[in-house]
Amino acid sequence: MIRKYRFGSPFSTEAVVADIPVADEAVTVGSISTEEGFSFTCTLQEEDVVYGLGENMRGINKRGYTYTSFASDDPAHTEDKHSLYAAHNFIVVSGKETFGLFVDYPTKLTFDIGYTRQDTLRISCEYADLDLYVITGDTAYDVVKQFRKIIGRSYIPPKFAFGFGQSRWGYKTAEDFKKVAEEHRKAHMPLDMVYMDIDYMQDYKDFTLNQKEFPDFRAYVDEMKKMNIHLIPIIDAGVKCQEGYDICEEGREKGYFCKRADGSDFEAAVWPGWTHFPDVLNPEARAWFGSKYQILIDQGIDGFWNDMNEPATFYTKEGVTELVDYLKAAVEEDLETIKPLEIQEKAMAISNNPADYENMYHNVNGEMIPHSRVHNLFGYNMTRAAGEAFEKISPDNRILMFSRSSYVGMHRYGGVWMGDNRSWWSHILLNLQMLPSMNMCGFLYTGADLGGFGDDTTRDLVLRWLALGVFTPLMRNHSALGTREQEFYQFENIEDFRHVIGVRYRLVPYLYSEYMKAALGDDMLFKPLAFEYPQDAFASQVEDQLMLGGQVMIAPVYKQNAKGRYVYLPEEMIFVKFLPDGSISQETLSTGHHYVDVALNEVPLFIRKGCSIPVVDAAECVGDLDLSTMKWLGYEGAQYQLYDDDGITRL
Ligand code: GLC
């Protein structure tokens, strides 16, 4: 049962596509106040578990902390943080009374989930202009399925996007990208995609190519395609301010960039230096920006990743001026009493400064709306720009697209990667914990930078992380400029990597089948254990295992130097291990707790009682997988319905 309550005059986010009439009775699951801004408050019972918030910090059960929906470019995903790059305002309180809440509100929103008071949930924001959806159901899973029905179907990528992709910020030359492909092919390590980070562009200008490196890009793309490699370029939100750069000039002329209060084009520094931001909330400007993807599609490109679209800003002139004035005053006042921590804080604050968003405006149907009122919608609408354009540019074929920032609704146009994580063991667990909550909001095509983006990685960390990445639809190794190189061929015993990546390819028919069933059925691919075993009192406490599709449970090893791990089985299952010699071990384990050995070069999974899953022989790219090599793992005589299609035609 879904009820929609309207407060004030909400901005239309178009997150929800179903036409739901506004309820006229009062909210029953909690109390509402619109005295100072908006707040929803309810009591949490001891046994209540709170799921949701999509891409955010902390565990699968969100109780005990406070979270803020405010899309932020913050590469330090540490426990003290309250938000990441997205705003996914959906939670489910699961207990004696089970209900979901979706707060359709486009800017800063706080979810205090038992932080101020352990027994109280309080959702609050500054303006009482929003739609609140209250969804009641028998179980948390049931509530999620109802929610998913009203927000529209999840994005479906081409099948090649279920292959492995190699990326690094730092590949610059035509040779650099080619080398990645060649090293993989030479070592017979599967690879479908090579990602192009900002250096492929001319001076970081969107939709341009470094002319020296790519004088004939079309031929280069084709050459890579002959190796069965798709090149996937990055597109940044900021358009470089430069005379003679057609996109900048066109956007200025047509008034398609975000404005300042005085009507001039808003400017902030990002990678290219001063940039303007396309006003993707203005449908005309959105269509215009989206149409630019055609420039690269015409060169044979069939996938993109949208970045810096919170939008990230390094600084504005106003911000820098204020900082300089502050420093001057501090120096003039008294050098002895200078406050280094305050200086540090002020200097850091010039990036992604909410004060700058106050001076950035969108033109929505002729009305100038301050960005600060709609902040969380930028990444969504940048990706929507691309998605809407793709329908016109490529009406028959799917195009790969994922974004850094997002809001519910964007799941219809693209996937999401989890941003700038670090080469930390704890980030394997964080990656796992975000998967089901992102699926709750429709984000099915997702994954993290495997091996870690920031910091120097280690061989064992990459292997363990990959053994989780084997299951995530987006499987990409990406790392930051200046960090240790982490392509698989940089490490010793390359055969271990070949084996683990090979397991992914062996599972692609199953993963694709389950992905498609989830997408077409508005379902989740990854679920917390309690969603499948609501009667099991222990299942809701499991924070490091997930149900995958209808047949599998995953429980990766994520601790350094561990030789295995404890795992909880809510029912009898078959413990499967893909062994480095290519064989597969299967052992039936009873309900309860077990310790399982898992070596660094093994990939474990569990098959639910009475189920079986298909595996095929590995291949070097998705297109070469041969379904005639299919074998079955799990319980004998079990039935499995395999979904398959040509992997490219739009559905
Ligand atoms: C941002 C992205 C990262 C990318 C870098 C350079 O930090 O999140 O993935 O490598 O920008 O473009």
Side-chain angles (χ1 to χ4, degrees):
M1 170 73 146
I2 306 183
R3 283 196 186 79
K4 168 178 168 180
Y5 301 94
R6 175 155 290 181
F7 301 92
S9 348
F11 184 88
S12 168
T13 67
E14 294 173 69
V16 171
V17 292
D19 198 8
I20 301 173
V22 175
D24 41 22
E25 74 269 34
V27 176
T28 53
V29 293
S31 58
I32 304 282
S33 162
T34 50
E35 300 265 292
E36 277 171 63
F38 170 89
S39 74
F40 167 93
T41 311
C42 73
T43 303
L44 292 173
Q45 304 301 324
E46 180 74 29
E47 69 279 7
D48 286 347
V49 173
V50 182
Y51 297 102
L53 295 184
E55 186 184 34
N56 215 315
M57 291 305 301
R58 302 227 171 189
I60 294 173
N61 182 354
K62 291 280 181 260
R63 266 190 94 152
Y65 202 54
T66 175
Y67 308 85
T68 313
S69 289
F70 193 76
S72 344
D73 166 30
D74 181 348
H77 307 172
T78 46
E79 271 186 53
D80 57 324
K81 296 297 162 64
H82 306 279
S83 60
L84 290 171
Y85 307 87
H88 298 158
N89 304 335
F90 176 52
I91 58 168
V92 179
V93 178
S94 172
K96 279 205 191 81
E97 206 188 342
T98 294
F99 58 94
L101 300 170
F102 173 56
V103 190
D104 193 6
Y105 179 74
T107 191
K108 191 172 177 178
L109 178 68
T110 302
F111 289 82
D112 179 335
I113 309 180
Y115 167 77
T116 304
R117 274 188 62 93
Q118 278 197 281
D119 66 354
T120 306
L121 164 69
R122 186 168 187 272
I123 304 172
S124 57
C125 56
E126 194 180 344
Y127 309 100
D129 294 307
L130 55 88
D131 283 335
L132 171 69
Y133 295 80
V134 179
I135 310 173
T136 46
D138 292 337
T139 61
Y141 188 23
D142 172 37
V143 168
V144 171
K145 284 196 273 196
Q146 293 183 59
F147 177 59
R148 290 285 306 284
K149 285 264 175 289
I150 65 167
I151 58 172
R153 195 170 82 189
S154 293
Y155 164 75
I156 295 175
K159 201 198 262 182
F160 71 75
F162 287 79
F164 170 69
Q166 177 60 47
S167 184
R168 180 168 170 87
W169 174 18
Y171 300 152
K172 272 195 166 66
T173 65
E175 230 3 82
D176 289 341
F177 299 101
K178 206 152 101 191
K179 180 177 171 218
V180 175
E182 283 169 353
E183 290 285 347
H184 273 260
R185 291 292 174 250
K186 199 169 77 196
H188 301 293
M189 281 191 303
L191 180 72
D192 273 86
M193 288 153 289
V194 174
Y195 287 86
M196 304 184 93
D197 208 322
I198 45 174
D199 293 297
Y200 79 87
M201 298 183 229
Q202 185 68 50
D203 307 319
Y204 306 137
K205 288 186 286 194
D206 279 342
F207 311 109
T208 68
L209 292 150
N210 178 328
Q211 279 313 311
K212 191 172 128 281
E213 289 302 326
F214 304 106
D216 184 353
F217 191 58
R218 175 89 227 192
Y220 184 77
V221 173
D222 288 345
E223 197 187 328
M224 298 291 273
K225 281 219 171 125
K226 282 205 190 92
M227 284 197 275
N228 291 314
I229 301 294
H230 299 259
L231 288 171
I232 313 293
I234 195 169
I235 303 293
D236 278 355
V239 171
K240 187 176 174 68
C241 303
Q242 193 184 57
E243 306 293 318
Y245 169 32
D246 51 353
I247 297 184
C248 170
E249 290 193 344
E250 242 177 78
R252 280 177 178 168
E253 267 163 39
K254 298 191 162 146
Y256 287 162
F257 292 127
C258 292
K259 303 278 182 199
R260 296 192 182 93
D262 64 7
S264 62
D265 290 322
F266 178 82
E267 273 177 33
V270 203
W271 303 123
W274 295 117
T275 64
H276 298 312
F277 294 110
D279 186 358
V280 286
L281 292 183
N282 166 356
E284 241 180 66
R286 185 162 71 232
W288 166 77
F289 190 75
S291 72
K292 299 299 170 195
Y293 287 79
Q294 177 146 24
I295 297 171
L296 291 167
I297 293 174
D298 284 348
Q299 305 281 312
I301 290 298
D302 49 13
F304 300 88
W305 46 311
N306 277 349
D307 191 23
M308 307 299 275
N309 51 8
E310 293 69 31
T313 59
F314 295 163
Y315 53 86
T316 57
K317 278 181 193 131
E318 296 81 352
V320 173
T321 310
E322 207 181 299
L323 176 66
V324 170
D325 289 348
Y326 162 83
L327 289 173
K328 272 194 202 144
V331 170
E332 276 161 20
E333 218 168 84
D334 186 357
L335 265 185
E336 266 178 51
T337 60
I338 235 162
K339 301 187 188 76
L341 288 181
E342 195 175 287
I343 293 178
Q344 203 179 10
E345 209 175 288
K346 286 213 185 284
M348 298 286 287
I350 62 169
S351 299
N352 307 308
N353 188 348
D356 289 326
Y357 297 143
E358 302 281 342
N359 192 26
M360 173 175 165
Y361 288 80
H362 296 275
N363 174 355
V364 182
N365 305 323
E367 201 189 330
M368 298 308 276
I369 310 267
H371 177 76
S372 54
R373 292 293 293 261
V374 288
H375 171 68
N376 291 334
L377 303 181
F378 195 93
Y380 162 22
N381 281 285
M382 177 186 176
T383 300
R384 181 176 174 183
E388 288 173 341
F390 294 165
E391 282 165 28
K392 296 196 190 103
I393 303 168
S394 176
D396 300 327
N397 290 346
R398 308 174 206 168
I399 293 201
L400 172 59
M401 162 55 73
F402 58 89
S403 167
R404 193 169 73 175
S405 186
S406 59
Y407 184 85
V408 172
M410 201 205 84
H411 68 286
R412 301 190 294 267
Y413 304 98
V416 163
W417 97 98
M418 296 169 182
D420 298 346
N421 59 11
R422 299 271 183 90
S423 297
W424 295 346
W425 290 87
S426 60
H427 279 183
I428 304 182
L429 182 60
L430 183 62
N431 177 175
L432 178 141
Q433 289 168 326
M434 277 196 265
L435 290 166
S437 46
M438 292 184 68
N439 280 197
M440 284 170 69
C441 292
F443 294 95
L444 298 183
Y445 190 76
T446 184
D449 288 349
L450 301 171
F453 174 76
D455 299 330
D456 293 333
T457 201
T458 57
R459 181 179 185 274
D460 53 349
L461 177 68
V462 178
L463 278 167
R464 288 300 194 199
W465 210 329
L466 280 179
L468 166 61
V470 154
F471 302 107
T472 60
L474 167 61
M475 185 190 197
R476 181 177 80 144
N477 174 341
H478 180 49
S479 54
L481 191 69
T483 59
R484 180 182 186 179
E485 294 180 356
Q486 64 188 43
E487 296 82 8
F488 306 143
Y489 47 85
Q490 308 287 359
F491 300 104
E492 73 269 21
N493 297 344
I494 196 169
E495 62 275 13
D496 288 342
F497 294 91
R498 182 189 307 125
H499 166 62
V500 177
I501 296 297
V503 173
R504 160 61 165 233
Y505 281 71
R506 300 192 71 179
L507 288 168
V508 162
Y510 174 68
L511 293 172
Y512 184 70
S513 169
E514 290 303 298
Y515 183 96
M516 293 304 288
K517 287 180 201 170
L520 298 172
D522 299 325
D523 206 336
M524 297 167 75
L525 179 62
F526 292 102
K527 280 161 269 181
L529 265 55
F531 279 35
E532 290 284 4
Y533 303 96
Q535 305 307 334
D536 184 315
F538 190 74
S540 63
Q541 293 181 50
V542 179
E543 285 278 345
D544 59 357
Q545 304 171 199
L546 296 176
M547 304 311 296
L548 161 60
Q551 295 72 26
V552 168
M553 182 178 82
I554 59 167
V557 175
Y558 57 92
K559 289 190 178 148
Q560 190 164 24
N561 298 319
K563 305 264 187 284
R565 58 163 288 168
Y566 286 95
V567 62
Y568 175 67
L569 271 56
E571 64 177 329
E572 182 197 285
M573 292 186 185
I574 292 182
F575 171 43
V576 173
K577 267 200 295 191
F578 290 85
L579 303 171
D581 65 1
S583 66
I584 301 173
S585 71
Q586 301 195 56
E587 182 191 352
T588 306
L589 297 180
S590 56
T591 308
H593 295 271
H594 296 269
Y595 181 86
V596 293
D597 291 316
V598 185
L600 257 188
N601 53 9
E602 295 173 347
V603 180
L605 63 81
F606 298 81
I607 299 183
R608 294 177 69 176
K609 192 165 181 193
C611 297
S612 69
I613 65 164
V615 280
V616 292
D617 288 353
E620 288 187 36
C621 65
V622 167
D624 282 353
L625 288 169
D626 178 0
L627 293 198
S628 75
T629 63
M630 193 173 286
K631 293 188 201 63
W632 296 88
L633 296 178
Y635 289 84
E636 260 176 55
Q639 298 282 313
Y640 176 76
Q641 206 182 359
L642 184 79
Y643 173 95
D644 197 23
D645 57 23
D646 68 4
I648 194 75
T649 305
R650 280 182 185 275
L651 296 168

